[in-house]
Amino acid sequence: MTRLISAGRDTVNYPDRGATAHRPLPAGYHHLNHRTRLGHGRAVFEAAGTAVTTFRAHRTSGMRVRADAGAVRPGSRVVVGIGVGPLRIDAPCEVVWTAYEPARIGFAYGTRPGHPECGEESFIVDMDRDGTVWFTVTAFSRPNAWYTRLAGPVVPFLQLRYARWLGHRLRKLATAA
């Protein structure tokens, strides 16, 4: 069941809460949609779904994640650390929807005040009818800080690189299970 947190709560810093759950993505943002084949079968699906919804996939990709709950749920607060040492940037987010379904597991988080970007990103593991397991990252974002505005087109490039890296790391986690 996909569960969207109430749109009446103003804890994110953008007006399009939950937009990664449907298409089209809102105008006025950079859009990202990247899909990675993870493998085949229920075991791969379940391992990948668990790694995504507990932030294990994020952590093994090199991100520092501080979350207020074990498995994601709507309303969970998350701070993702981007960078290294004194160049680390904390990016506060809130889980805006979750999906815990027989062939679909994942979530989306939205940016909160203090995040260098403004927008939303979803991380979904799907299993096709033939048993093929996929990981999809979908996002819409725009700069929210002087340094992300200054970086211009580098930020979308880095977001795509990270989506690819996250898919690569998740494939290794899921197939090792």
Side-chain angles (χ1 to χ4, degrees):
M1 170 171 77
T2 300
R3 185 165 171 236
L4 176 65
I5 193 167
S6 169
R9 293 177 54 189
D10 286 332
T11 56
V12 294
N13 64 353
Y14 61 99
D16 305 294
R17 175 190 291 271
T20 55
H22 49 71
R23 303 291 181 275
L25 294 175
Y29 298 89
H30 168 74
H31 296 166
L32 169 70
N33 190 15
H34 180 72
R35 191 173 191 212
T36 303
R37 185 181 183 280
L38 299 180
H40 192 271
R42 175 71 44 193
V44 169
F45 171 74
E46 290 177 3
T50 299
V52 165
T53 58
T54 60
F55 296 107
R56 183 170 179 224
H58 285 73
R59 288 182 177 107
T60 61
S61 73
M63 293 296 196
R64 183 181 69 194
V65 179
R66 294 188 319 263
D68 67 359
V72 296
R73 64 181 189 280
S76 296
R77 300 278 175 99
V78 180
V79 177
V80 179
I82 302 167
V84 180
L87 300 177
R88 183 174 300 278
I89 298 167
D90 284 337
C93 301
E94 181 175 318
V95 175
V96 295
W97 62 263
T98 58
Y100 289 99
E101 301 168 13
R104 184 171 183 255
I105 299 174
F107 72 96
Y109 54 39
T111 59
R112 298 185 66 238
H115 195 292
E117 288 283 299
C118 174
E120 190 172 293
E121 191 166 21
S122 68
F123 308 92
I124 298 296
V125 177
D126 287 299
M127 186 168 63
D128 289 345
R129 290 178 195 254
D130 70 356
T132 304
V133 180
W134 298 92
F135 173 61
T136 305
V137 177
T138 303
F140 61 91
S141 63
R142 61 181 172 225
N144 192 45
W146 67 266
Y147 50 89
T148 51
R149 283 190 288 279
L150 183 65
V154 173
V155 174
F157 171 76
L158 293 175
Q159 289 171 327
L160 176 59
R161 295 277 303 166
Y162 179 68
R164 288 178 177 162
W165 177 244
L166 190 58
H168 171 77
R169 297 301 307 153
L170 185 57
R171 181 185 309 119
K172 286 185 177 262
L173 287 171
T175 56

